[in-house]
Amino acid sequence: MPEATLRTLSDPGRAGPVSRLSRLAPVHWLALAFLAVALGFAAVAWATGNGFYLRLATEALIFAGLAMSVDLLLGYTGLLSLGQALYFGLGAYVSALVLRDVAPSFWLAMAAALLAGGVAGLIGGVIANRVKGVYFALITFGLAQVAAKTVYNTRALGASDGLIGIPQISIGFGPLSLDTADPLSFFLLVLALTVAAYAGLAYLMDAPFGRTLAAIRANEKRVPFLGFNAWRYKLAVYVLAACVAALAGALYPMLRGFVSPELMFFETSGNAVITVIVGGVGTLVGPVVGSLLLTALRSVVGSWTEHHLIVVGVIFMLSVIFLRKGLVGALLARLGRRTGQGRTTP
Amino acid sequence: MTAASFKTAAGAGSACALGVRDLSVNFGGLQAVAGVGFDAAAGRITSVIGPNGAGKSTLFNLISGAIRPTAGRVTLDGADVTGQAPDRLLAAGLARSFQITNLFFELPVLENLRIAAQVLERPWHALHPVGHSRRALTKAEALLDRFGLSAKARELAGNLSHGEQRRLEIAVALAAEPRVLLLDEPTQGMSHGDTADTGALIRSLAGELTVLLIEHDIGLVMSLSDHVVVMAQGRKIAEGTPTAVRADPAVQAAYFGHG
Ligand SMILES: Nc1ncnc2c1ncn2[C@@H]1O[C@H](COP(=O)(O)OP(=O)(O)OP(=O)(O)O)[C@@H](O)[C@H]1O
Ligand SMILES: [Mg+2]
C-alpha cells in the first residue's frame, strides 16, 4: 500500500495509462503471479480429472471473498469486524432461496444477494458505527450472533438443517453458457469474479476514497478537520464490505447445493479474520492467498487428524508473532528490499 | 447581547470574518471558557494569549466544532455556525492546527498534504484515480515547497523531526485553502530559527486569510498581531492592539506577572 501511494504521488504528471501499467505496484505483480498459479492448478486438475480439488479450490476462493471484505474494514479502515459471516450467510441464504424457489438464475441470485447485503450492511453499519474500537468489534459479533440464532431457529429457513436441494444451474453470458455442475467451469468463473473483485477493490482503495479510509485508520480524530465526515466514510466501507461478503456467500450454494446456519456462525467470521491476518492485512491479495493456504491446510491436516483447528490456531499465533504483516506483507517487504523501493514502516 | 447589535457588528462592513459572542463551556464544575467574545477582522492576525490553562485551546475547540459550547455563538462572515461539525466548518472555510501535533504519522508527508487538499476537488473525484485530482496534488506540492519539506515528501510523517512536524501541522491546516485559520501554538518546541521563519510565514498569510493565533512567544505576538485578546481562567481580561494590551495593568498582573 505505501509503495503504491508513493509511486503515484511522486510523479503524478507521468501517471498516464501506459506508464501506469509498466510501473504496476509489487502487490499487483503478486496478484498476477497468483492468478498464473491458479490457472496452472486448474489445468493440472482438469487434465487429471480431479473435480474434488477444483471444488475445494473454488470453496477457498469463495471464502477469500469473505476475507477480502474483512480486509477492507480491518486492513484499510482499522475496523475489526467479528461478524462478517452475517453478510456472507445472508448472501448464501438469499441466493439459495432465489435459486430454489424463484428461478435458477445466476444473475438474479447475485443481484438479490447484493441488494440484501447492501440493505443489511446499511442497517448493521449504522448500528455498529455508533461506537469505536473494541465496542465496534463486539457489536458486529453480537449482530451476527443474533442473525445466526434467528436463522437457526426459523423453520422456514430449515432451522439447524439449513436449506438443501439447491439446483445446479447453467449461467448464461450472451451466447455462451456455463454449468455449475462442471467443476472446472465453475472454478474459472469464481476465479474470474475474485480477480474482478480484487482489481475493483484495489483500485478503489488507491483512489482518494480508499486513502481517506487509510487516514481514518491512521488518525480518525484529525479527519473531520480536513473536511471529511469520517462516519459516512466508515458507513460506506461497511456497506461495501457487506456487499462483497454477500456476493461471495451467494456463490456458496451454487458450489455445494446447500446452505446451513454454520455459515453465519462465529467460526466463519473468526476464520475470515484469521485468514486476513495470516495472508497479510491491508493487501487484498493476502486474504486470497491466506484462504487458499488455510483451506489446503485444513484439507491435508484434516485427512489425518480431527484436530486441524489446533494446527490452524498455532499457525495463526505464529504468524501474528513472526509475520506481523502476514505472508504477503513479508513477501512485499522482501521484494521491496531487493529492488530498493520498499519503504515500509520501521 | 441582542440580535440587533450582532447584526451591526457583522454587517457594518468592518469585514469581521470570525465573530465570537459570549462563548462558554463547562467541564464538570470547571468553567473552562466563560463568556468570551471578540471579533477577528478579515485578513488580519488576531492573537489569543494567556497563562497555561487559561482556556485558549478550549476556545479553539469551541470555534472549530471539536466541542459544543454550553452557551454563546460563533459566526463566520456573519453566518451563525455555532456547534457545527468540524467537517462542515471546513467546508465553510474554517481550518485549524493543533497544539499537540496531530498528523497521519504512518502516511508519507506528501500524502498528509494531499488528503488535506482533497476537499478542493469535486466529491466524485474520490472515486477517480489520485492522479486525476490535479488541484489537490498541485496544492500539496506547493505547500511542500513553501514549508521546506520537499526533500521529505516520501518520508513518513512520523519520521520527521519535531520542528518539521510542526511545520507540516500548519501546512496541513492550510491545504484546504481556508479563509479563516486557527493556529494553536504553531511554534511550540521549535528552535529559534524555525520560530522566526514560522513567524514570517504567518505574517505572509495575513491579507490572504484571517488568522487566529494562540502563541506563548510574546515577542512573536507583539510583532505579528494586529489585535490581541488576553484570557485568564476562562475569561477575557483584555483586548486591543499589542501595545495597548501590554500596557494594561490587569494583563500585567494576570499574565506577564507570571512570565
Ligand atoms: N476535555 C476536557 N475535559 C475536562 N477539562 C478540560 C478539557 N479540556 C480542557 N480542560 C481544562 O480546561 C482548562 C483550560 O484548558 P486549555 O487547554 O484550554 O488551556 P490553554 O489556555 O490552552 O493552556 P496551555 O497554554 O497550557 O495550552 C484546563 O484547566 C484544562 O485542564
Ligand atoms: Mg492550549
Side-chain angles (χ1 to χ4, degrees):
Chain A
M1 197 45 194
E3 284 84 354
T5 307
L6 294 176
R7 183 158 305 97
T8 329
L9 275 177
S10 53
D11 34 17
R14 291 188 290 131
V18 182
S19 59
R20 183 176 289 276
L21 199 68
S22 63
R23 288 179 294 113
L24 213 55
V27 65
H28 298 326
W29 283 114
L30 253 164
L32 282 176
F34 166 81
L35 180 62
V37 171
L39 288 173
F41 162 81
V44 172
W46 173 73
T48 57
N50 202 326
F52 174 77
Y53 284 113
L54 275 171
R55 290 199 168 274
L56 194 65
T58 309
E59 184 168 307
L61 287 179
I62 289 174
F63 281 100
L66 171 62
M68 275 200 242
S69 84
V70 169
D71 198 20
L72 289 178
L73 297 172
L74 182 61
Y76 289 89
T77 324
L79 298 170
L80 174 60
S81 166
L82 292 178
Q84 208 59 13
L86 163 54
Y87 306 106
F88 183 82
L90 177 72
Y93 270 84
V94 167
S95 165
L97 286 171
V98 167
L99 295 177
R100 198 191 65 179
D101 301 340
V102 182
S105 159
F106 172 79
W107 302 110
L108 188 65
M110 293 300 270
L114 181 66
L115 186 69
V119 171
L122 197 61
I123 297 168
V126 167
I127 297 170
N129 277 312
R130 293 177 65 89
V131 291
K132 291 179 186 176
V134 72
Y135 299 100
F136 175 89
L138 290 175
I139 293 218
T140 56
F141 170 80
L143 286 172
Q145 288 303 101
V146 169
K149 291 292 174 216
T150 307
V151 170
Y152 192 87
N153 292 318
T154 302
R155 272 271 169 94
L157 294 174
S160 60
D161 295 333
L163 302 171
I164 51 170
I166 313 305
Q168 281 170 332
I169 53 171
S170 122
I171 303 164
F173 298 93
L176 299 171
S177 92
L178 167 166
D179 218 307
T180 56
D182 175 37
L184 180 66
S185 307
F186 195 55
F187 171 78
L188 291 176
L189 172 66
V190 174
L191 182 63
L193 290 172
T194 308
V195 170
Y198 170 77
L201 295 175
Y203 166 83
L204 207 53
M205 289 304 109
D206 196 43
F209 172 74
R211 289 165 178 232
T212 305
L213 298 178
I216 289 173
R217 189 196 56 199
N219 183 359
E220 182 174 348
K221 288 218 169 93
R222 175 66 131 145
V223 166
F225 296 95
L226 303 182
F228 301 100
N229 184 325
W231 184 84
R232 271 192 216 155
Y233 273 80
K234 290 194 292 180
L235 185 63
V237 73
Y238 191 89
V239 172
L240 177 67
C243 288
V244 171
L247 285 175
L251 297 168
Y252 188 87
M254 300 177 194
L255 176 74
R256 292 297 179 205
F258 71 92
V259 292
S260 63
E262 280 80 30
L263 292 178
M264 283 190 181
F265 281 1
F266 176 65
E267 196 183 331
T268 308
S269 296
N271 271 332
V273 174
I274 292 174
T275 304
V276 170
I277 289 171
V278 170
V281 141
T283 60
L284 287 174
V285 192
V288 183
V289 173
S291 183
L292 282 152
L293 196 85
L294 290 177
T295 305
L297 204 80
R298 260 184 223 114
S299 156
V300 172
V301 178
S303 65
W304 38 269
T305 164
E306 294 260 286
H307 308 296
H308 61 274
L309 281 179
I310 299 178
V311 179
V312 171
V314 169
I315 289 187
F316 173 63
M317 285 188 290
L318 288 178
S319 94
V320 166
I321 294 167
F322 295 110
L323 293 177
R324 292 303 300 276
K325 294 178 166 183
L327 283 171
V328 167
L331 253 169
L332 284 176
R334 204 156 249 235
L335 278 173
R337 224 173 298 134
R338 184 91 52 82
T339 56
Q341 55 178 201
R343 192 203 303 276
T344 37
T345 12
Chain B
M1 186 67 242
T2 65
S5 64
F6 211 124
K7 218 169 182 178
T8 327
S14 66
C16 137
L18 178 73
V20 174
R21 293 288 173 280
D22 287 327
L23 214 53
S24 305
V25 73
N26 285 314
F27 295 126
L30 178 76
Q31 187 85 17
V33 172
V36 172
F38 61 89
D39 285 331
R44 300 290 167 80
I45 299 175
T46 303
S47 291
V48 180
I49 65 171
N52 290 104
K56 307 180 294 294
S57 295
T58 306
L59 175 71
F60 269 26
N61 286 340
L62 292 170
I63 297 172
S64 65
I67 54 179
R68 279 171 175 276
T70 38
R73 292 222 274 163
V74 179
T75 57
L76 253 186
D77 294 326
D80 191 339
V81 294
T82 317
Q84 280 193 10
D87 54 304
R88 294 194 54 192
L89 284 170
L90 188 109
L94 182 136
R96 71 168 291 185
S97 77
F98 290 81
Q99 179 172 1
I100 297 165
T101 309
N102 196 350
L103 299 165
F104 306 109
F105 294 108
E106 57 193 70
L107 300 180
V109 170
L110 181 53
E111 180 65 0
N112 270 267
L113 291 168
R114 194 205 56 75
I115 290 171
Q118 189 65 37
V119 288
L120 300 175
E121 302 285 347
R122 312 301 302 164
W124 55 85
H125 273 113
L127 302 179
H128 290 186
V130 171
H132 288 200
S133 295
R134 303 293 318 164
R135 244 186 111 185
L137 283 166
T138 311
K139 184 76 199 174
E141 273 159 6
L143 283 167
L144 278 179
D145 200 45
R146 186 169 185 183
F147 284 79
L149 292 167
S150 294
K152 307 278 181 165
R154 290 154 168 258
E155 203 70 59
L156 299 181
N159 292 348
L160 295 183
S161 72
H162 176 80
E164 288 165 342
Q165 288 184 352
R166 291 308 293 166
R167 270 186 275 156
L168 183 56
E169 177 75 32
I170 306 171
V172 163
L174 272 173
E177 299 183 349
R179 285 174 300 121
V180 178
L181 178 66
L182 274 50
L183 296 172
D184 194 345
E185 297 199 31
T187 67
Q188 184 249 93
M190 276 189 184
S191 68
H192 274 298
D194 273 2
T195 301
D197 288 351
T198 305
L201 197 133
I202 295 170
R203 176 86 274 172
S204 75
L205 295 175
E208 223 180 289
L209 44 83
T210 308
V211 179
L212 191 61
L213 172 72
I214 297 177
E215 184 53 64
H216 268 304
D217 186 321
I218 289 306
L220 205 59
V221 169
M222 291 301 152
S223 67
L224 281 181
S225 315
D226 297 299
H227 191 77
V228 181
V229 174
V230 190
M231 285 181 72
Q233 291 170 331
R235 298 181 181 282
K236 179 180 83 177
I237 58 166
E239 75 174 307
T241 61
T243 11
V245 158
R246 194 183 353 216
D248 192 315
V251 176
Q252 294 195 339
Y255 189 78
F256 297 107
H258 288 269

